[in-house]
Amino acid sequence: DVKVTQSSRYLVKRTGEKVFLECVQDMDHENMFWYRQDPGLGLRLIYFSYDVKMKEKGDIPEGYSVSREKKERFSLILESASTNQTSMYLCASMPPSGTAQDKQYFGPGTRLTVT
Amino acid sequence: LAKTTQPISMDSYEGQEVNITCSHNNIATNDYITWYQQFPSQGPRFIIQGYKTKVTNEVASLFIPADRKSSTLSLPRVSLSDTAVYYCLVGLTGGFKTIFGAGTRLFVKA
């Protein structure tokens, strides 16, 4: 079974801090994603990466950056955390396009609170 | 990118069949339809995916009419553990920039 792990389940940070959220997958997937989830808004894509050192903006990239130095690891960075970035952050990975039943495998999520 | 419209919430009783319909009027020729399930405090989990007609697996069935402007997820004989949020997604396989939307919150009662 694919396993996607996230560095923390719960995180509390102060406004202005630099925050790193780490995601690791063990299935050698090319594609990795970062979403945030807020009540009533579903999941919104922040960034995705289709290969090492490659990244693409999603729908809400403002205030975030990402890093993919190794295939198995995709990091989400909040350069200067703000209270409106309080949210649940979900990481996902996916095998290359065209494989049978393309589907995203999600981690358990990190609930970030910025005070 | 095709957006989707689903009911915000649905209630059901144990043992009933539940059908959740998703509208996607602007679906493109190459788009697939994928459904995910999410329990509280967990990430979404893939349920089923299809392109046209009917797809069935051990968890659910997916019905897609000929015009593909909507799809229906069918959950046979639901149990309390099927209480979750169900998301309909439309996009190319590869998942890039697929839109999850707000999903449908299903509540199964005893």
Side-chain angles (χ1 to χ4, degrees), chain A residues 9 37 42 57 94 102 104, chain B residues 36 38 41 49 87 93-94 101:
Chain A
R9 289 303 304 271
Q37 184 171 31
K57 293 180 180 180
M94 192 173 70
D102 292 350
Q104 296 184 38
Chain B
Y36 285 80
Q38 186 179 25
S41 301
Q49 184 180 77
Y87 295 95
T93 57

Side-chain angles (χ1 to χ4, degrees), chain A residues 44-62:
Chain A
R44 293 180 291 169
L45 182 64
I46 305 172
Y47 268 96
F48 67 92
S49 169
Y50 52 91
D51 203 350
V52 174
K53 296 190 186 296
M54 307 303 288
K55 60 186 180 185
E56 292 285 343
K57 293 180 180 180
D59 298 313
I60 51 165
E62 297 77 20

